[in-house]
Amino acid sequence: NAGVTQTPKFQVLKTGQSMTLQCAQDMNHEYMSWYRQDPGMGLRLIHYSVGAGITDQGEVPNGYNVSRSTTEDFPLRLLSAAPSQTSVYFCASSYKSRGWGYTFGSGTRLTVV
Amino acid sequence: DAKTTQPPSMDCAEGRAANLPCNHSTISGNEYVYWYRQIHSQGPQYIIHGLKNNETNEMASLIITEDRKSSTLILPHATLRDTAVYYCIVRDDGSGNTGKLIFGQGTTLQVKP
């Protein structure tokens, strides 16, 4: 099925652990983004990519790393998890220059204890 | 990209039209107005977008003022399933396109029976 696939759907980490949230899309979209959403808040942009090999920081990049080695995949790495990173993480993709075409994944619910 | 201002919450009776306002007084000529919505914990969903003219699709209508400093999203016959957070986003899809889609706080629309 075409779309954005995020794994895992749920994750509990201990403070200081590292992990990678996976995001994959099969629509050949150039743009991919990672957002976090805290309870009662809007989505905040963490990192984004305009194509393979190109990434840039969003509004809240600290504590996260990304890479884009292929068009399809855009993993988000938490280097040393902190309770403040407890959130719901959404990945999105779109064609270049199409703000109307963003497709979002179903989210990863992360709890850091 | 220009900032937007939306009321934090609104109520609407089921079957009535829901009119959601958005202020974007610093919008520039290349910037489009986009509306997305997020239904309880799901990823955001695209609704409609426009540049200057009013737009209508199967989900909603978008009315943009002549000076483009504000807009209104209209759900003509709101149902309980339209209860969601609605985000108004202004984005440059032209030469100034950075690839980012920035969400604000949005308006929580509660449709009541």
Side-chain angles (χ1 to χ4, degrees), chain A residues 14-106:
Chain A
K14 294 182 178 180
T15 297
Q17 287 185 318
S18 63
M19 79 160 294
T20 299
L21 308 186
Q22 301 292 344
C23 177
Q25 53 93 7
D26 58 2
M27 298 170 284
N28 203 31
H29 284 169
E30 299 98 331
Y31 286 8
M32 296 188 74
S33 308
W34 276 104
Y35 295 86
R36 62 175 287 175
Q37 186 171 34
D38 300 330
M41 304 285 287
L43 285 81
R44 290 186 291 170
L45 182 65
I46 305 172
H47 285 285
Y48 65 105
S49 169
V50 299
I54 306 170
T55 64
D56 208 344
Q57 296 181 351
E59 302 168 283
V60 288
N62 292 341
Y64 307 95
N65 274 358
V66 292
S67 60
R68 184 99 180 268
S69 56
T70 67
T71 299
E72 295 77 19
D73 300 298
F74 191 43
L76 178 71
R77 298 182 187 85
L78 280 70
L79 308 174
S80 177
S84 60
Q85 293 179 304
T86 293
S87 191
V88 179
Y89 291 84
F90 289 101
C91 179
S93 73
S94 79
Y95 287 112
K96 182 179 179 181
S97 298
R98 291 188 183 182
W100 53 265
Y102 275 70
T103 300
F104 283 80
S106 58

Side-chain angles (χ1 to χ4, degrees), chain A residues 35 37 97 99-100 102 109, chain B residues 34 36 38 41 46 97 99 101:
Chain A
Y35 295 86
Q37 186 171 34
S97 298
W100 53 265
Y102 275 70
R109 283 148 183 79
Chain B
Y34 289 90
Y36 278 74
Q38 186 177 25
S41 299
Y46 164 79
N97 183 4
L101 190 68

Side-chain angles (χ1 to χ4, degrees), chain B:
Chain B
D1 297 327
K3 285 191 174 294
T4 62
T5 303
Q6 299 178 253
S9 64
M10 295 182 64
D11 291 340
C12 177
E14 188 177 20
R16 303 296 294 269
N19 297 283
L20 291 89
C22 180
N23 180 285
H24 31 79
S25 58
T26 62
I27 193 170
S28 65
N30 291 328
E31 290 179 322
Y32 284 73
V33 179
Y34 289 90
W35 284 85
Y36 278 74
R37 75 179 182 182
Q38 186 177 25
I39 297 173
H40 185 60
S41 299
Q42 298 177 18
Q45 172 192 26
Y46 164 79
I47 302 173
I48 198 168
H49 76 285
L51 182 62
K52 297 180 180 179
N53 300 323
N54 298 338
E55 303 288 344
T56 295
N57 63 20
E58 64 278 5
M59 291 182 66
S61 294
L62 174 61
I63 308 298
I64 303 174
T65 58
E66 191 169 346
D67 63 7
R68 302 211 319 126
K69 293 184 176 182
S70 65
S71 60
T72 301
L73 177 74
I74 301 173
L75 308 177
H77 306 285
T79 71
L80 298 179
R81 289 178 294 180
D82 291 321
T83 292
V85 179
Y86 288 78
Y87 297 98
C88 170
I89 301 169
V90 170
R91 184 177 186 264
D92 189 333
D93 278 356
S95 60
N97 183 4
T98 62
K100 297 186 288 186
L101 190 68
I102 302 297
F103 290 79
Q105 295 301 307
T107 295
T108 299
L109 175 68
Q110 182 73 49
V111 180
K112 298 185 174 182

